[in-house]
Amino acid sequence: GVKLSECEKDEIAEITAIAQEAFLTQLFGMGFFHADPHPGNILKLNEPTPEGYTVALIDCGLMANVDKADQDHMISAVIHLANKDYASLVDDFIRLKILPTDCDRAAIIPLMDKALSPYVKGGGAKKYEEELKRMYGMEDSVSSQVGGFQAMTQDALTVLNDIPFSIP
């Protein structure tokens, strides 16, 4: 097969949709996930398999199991994220042990809103970058970019220093 990173733009869009479904099926249907899903680990097969599959996932050296309760909490988190319900997303993160039960919700919710709302708008990485630049006033001069970068760095430091999150 051909690595996704070596495919044409129109093929990438088609393969990405198939790979997304495969990863979500693994995670939410089978309870495990491939933890290294970069374009070099996704192949467009030269010929479909006898079952009709056209994409293969390779390099399964880094995988993990997810129990049913955590799968349910993750699905809940995705729904809350899509609805920008950050208060409920904090609850999901507590259930997933990403945040401690005694976390400062009043500090976390506005930071989630600021960090995640541009992402939820959609449009991919470029649109996210554009929205962040707009939010932090980094669209015009070099001095505005420096000031915006300082503000973004301060927000990141606030998250890292003040919010005791962990990835279990």
Side-chain angles (χ1 to χ4, degrees):
V2 179
K3 291 182 178 184
L4 179 64
S5 57
E6 299 169 4
C7 290
E8 297 297 321
K9 195 172 188 171
D10 60 324
E11 293 175 307
I12 291 172
E14 177 186 338
I15 295 165
T16 299
I18 295 167
Q20 284 175 329
E21 184 175 346
F23 285 112
L24 290 171
T25 299
Q26 283 180 356
L27 180 60
F28 297 127
M30 306 178 105
F32 70 93
F33 67 95
H34 187 297
D36 194 17
H38 62 78
N41 283 343
I42 302 170
L43 297 180
K44 176 186 179 218
L45 299 176
N46 294 330
E47 297 288 328
T49 66
E51 298 85 5
Y53 299 117
T54 57
V55 174
L57 308 177
I58 62 171
D59 189 6
C60 298
L62 186 56
M63 300 194 66
N65 291 317
V66 180
D67 67 34
K68 181 68 176 137
D70 283 344
Q71 288 175 33
D72 292 343
H73 297 318
M74 288 177 186
I75 291 169
S76 179
V78 169
I79 292 167
H80 292 138
L81 175 62
N83 290 319
K84 297 184 185 179
D85 182 355
Y86 300 119
S88 296
L89 187 60
V90 169
D91 294 334
D92 298 324
F93 281 11
I94 290 169
R95 288 184 198 103
L96 288 164
K97 298 179 178 59
I98 295 170
L99 291 171
T101 55
D102 62 348
C103 65
D104 184 355
R105 298 171 67 83
I108 294 169
I109 293 169
L111 289 170
M112 280 186 160
D113 184 22
K114 190 170 189 178
L116 298 175
S117 288
Y119 173 77
V120 174
K121 283 185 177 180
K126 287 287 185 201
K127 290 286 186 188
Y128 183 69
E129 179 183 5
E130 289 170 12
E131 183 65 16
L132 285 179
K133 284 182 176 180
R134 187 197 62 71
M135 284 174 53
Y136 285 100
M138 299 168 60
E139 297 172 295
D140 300 323
S141 67
V142 172
S143 63
S144 73
Q145 290 180 3
V146 170
F149 182 74
Q150 288 172 336
M152 191 184 314
T153 301
Q154 184 57 49
D155 283 350
L157 289 172
T158 298
V159 169
L160 293 172
N161 290 324
D162 298 349
I163 299 173
F165 70 92
S166 65
I167 305 299

